[in-house]
Amino acid sequence: AWDRLEAHMAACKLVAIAEVFRRNPEDGFEPEPGQMPAVVHEFTRDQLALALGESRAAADWLLTVAWHLATRLGATLEVLGDGIITRGKAELIVKLTLFLSDDEAKAVEAKILGRAGRLTPGGLRSALARAVMEVAPKTAKERRESAAKAARVERWAEDSGNAALMGRELP
C-alpha cells in the first residue's frame, strides 16, 4: 500500500513539475492556449533545482520526464498515479521512448503497460526494448548504430578504494 501511495505522490509531483514547465516557456515558444510548450525557459531548471534541493541535471531530467508524461505518455502517467508502476518504471518508459515519434511512443506504451506493474525493472527494460524494435525497427537500428560510435571504456575508483572498469555502448 505504501508503494502505491509513493507512486501516486510521484505522479502528483510530476504533474506539478509539468505545470511549472507549461507556465515557463522559452521566450518565443508560446504555445496555443491549453497546450504544453515544446521548450522550457532556460532558468526554469535552475529554479526547480533550488526549490527541490536537487542538482541542475536532476531537475532537467524531472522536467523531461514530466513533459513526456504530460504530452506523449498519458497512459503511463495514469498507471503511475494509480500506483500500478513505480516512478522508476515510469522514468524507464520515458527514457526508452525518448527518440520515438509520438505515435511510436504511444504504441510502445500500449504494448507494455498491461504487464509493466508485474515486471521487474530489468524485465521491463527488456520488454520495452523488444516493443521499440517491433514498433520502430529502423529508429532502433539507427539509435544502436549511432550509440556504437560512442563506444568507450570507463574507469573510476570505488568507495572501497578498489578500481572499477566498465565498457559502454559496445557492439
Side-chain angles (χ1 to χ4, degrees):
W2 290 114
D3 284 341
R4 288 191 305 275
L5 182 59
E6 181 181 34
H8 176 76
M9 296 313 296
C12 292
K13 180 179 179 177
L14 289 165
V15 167
I17 292 170
E19 184 62 17
V20 169
F21 194 117
R22 188 187 68 75
R23 292 181 184 203
N24 293 285
E26 181 65 59
D27 297 333
F29 286 92
E30 295 290 332
E32 296 294 321
Q35 299 296 312
M36 280 288 277
V39 182
V40 72
H41 193 274
E42 65 179 312
F43 297 119
T44 303
R45 169 185 345 141
D46 301 318
Q47 293 167 345
L48 186 63
L50 182 63
L52 298 178
E54 292 282 359
S55 68
R56 292 177 76 224
D60 191 46
W61 175 243
L62 285 171
L63 285 164
T64 299
V65 171
W67 186 88
H68 282 272
L69 293 177
T71 60
R72 298 168 22 117
L73 300 168
T76 299
L77 179 60
E78 187 175 323
V79 297
L80 177 62
D82 290 343
I84 296 169
I85 63 170
T86 62
R87 177 175 145 190
K89 288 181 179 182
E91 289 183 12
L92 190 59
I93 293 167
V94 169
K95 184 177 181 180
L96 276 94
T97 59
L98 272 176
F99 299 102
L100 301 177
S101 71
D102 292 352
D103 291 337
E104 290 168 341
K106 287 180 191 301
V108 168
E109 179 185 56
K111 281 182 170 287
I112 55 92
L113 272 188
R115 59 195 166 125
R118 296 185 310 271
L119 295 173
T120 64
L124 179 59
R125 182 181 295 278
S126 294
L128 281 162
R130 278 191 304 278
V132 167
M133 286 188 275
E134 290 171 9
V135 168
K138 184 178 176 188
T139 304
K141 182 180 179 200
E142 289 169 356
R143 184 167 181 224
R144 185 176 59 252
E145 290 170 352
S146 175
K149 293 176 186 173
R152 64 198 180 277
V153 174
E154 297 177 4
R155 64 171 178 77
W156 64 92
E158 294 285 358
D159 293 338
S160 65
N162 293 316
L165 186 66
M166 175 174 48
R168 304 290 307 254
E169 298 296 347
L170 302 175

